[in-house]
Amino acid sequence: MTDTQASLKPAQPTLYALAEDGRSLNFLFTQCGACGGLSFPANVPGCMHCGQPLEGAAQVARPGGGELLEFVTLHVPLLPGMAAPSIAGDIRIAPGIIEEGVIAVADEALLRPGMALQAVAAVNAADGVYACRFVPVNPEAVQ
Ligand SMILES: [Zn+2]
């Protein structure tokens, strides 16, 4: 399993990379040298917090995940090949940074605003790539 995953490539290599556990994802940020804030994706030209140019700034990998803000079940695929129904959510992945992601749970009844999500690899072995999916950190927390 680990050997197979080691040969896989991220579907969006500028955004995330497989973590050492072979399952979760690290998100790739750029840390501003002026204010210390994180910007995402790492190739944005200027700091999202203070506007300082980020050329030459340090890229940092952080465990991917965040706080679920809101979510909706999509009953029609937004993209070709996307499963339907699927659940899309807005996730605060770092202070001041909100990204939209696909949440891999069977039913939105398993989700609550404010719950912690982690990013994991969704492996597409046929294409040799993995995509980013979010799952609850503590799925048993929802009654
Ligand atoms: Zn800054």
Side-chain angles (χ1 to χ4, degrees):
M1 182 99 177
T2 305
D3 290 345
T4 307
Q5 295 198 337
S7 64
L8 296 169
K9 300 279 182 272
Q12 295 173 284
T14 59
L15 302 186
Y16 51 80
L18 200 60
E20 285 187 0
D21 65 7
R23 175 175 179 266
S24 58
L25 298 179
N26 288 328
F27 286 168
L28 306 177
F29 298 90
T30 297
Q31 186 155 32
C32 176
C35 76
L38 296 176
S39 291
F40 184 87
N43 58 1
V44 293
C47 175
M48 298 173 70
H49 308 281
C50 75
Q52 190 80 10
L54 289 173
E55 197 175 354
Q59 183 165 311
V60 294
R62 293 284 165 82
E67 178 189 356
L68 178 61
L69 301 180
E70 54 187 11
F71 52 89
V72 62
T73 299
L74 304 171
H75 294 281
V76 176
L78 291 185
L79 300 167
M82 186 173 161
S86 65
I87 302 171
D90 286 336
I91 300 131
R92 183 186 290 119
I93 62 168
I97 307 178
I98 295 167
E99 290 288 322
E100 195 165 273
V102 177
I103 304 166
V105 293
D107 191 306
E108 70 174 39
L110 298 168
L111 302 174
R112 294 285 182 276
M115 77 188 306
L117 300 179
Q118 72 173 136
V120 298
V123 174
N124 181 339
D127 292 337
V129 297
Y130 55 89
C132 175
R133 294 288 180 273
F134 289 90
V135 296
V137 173
N138 297 305
E140 68 279 9
V142 176
Q143 301 301 312

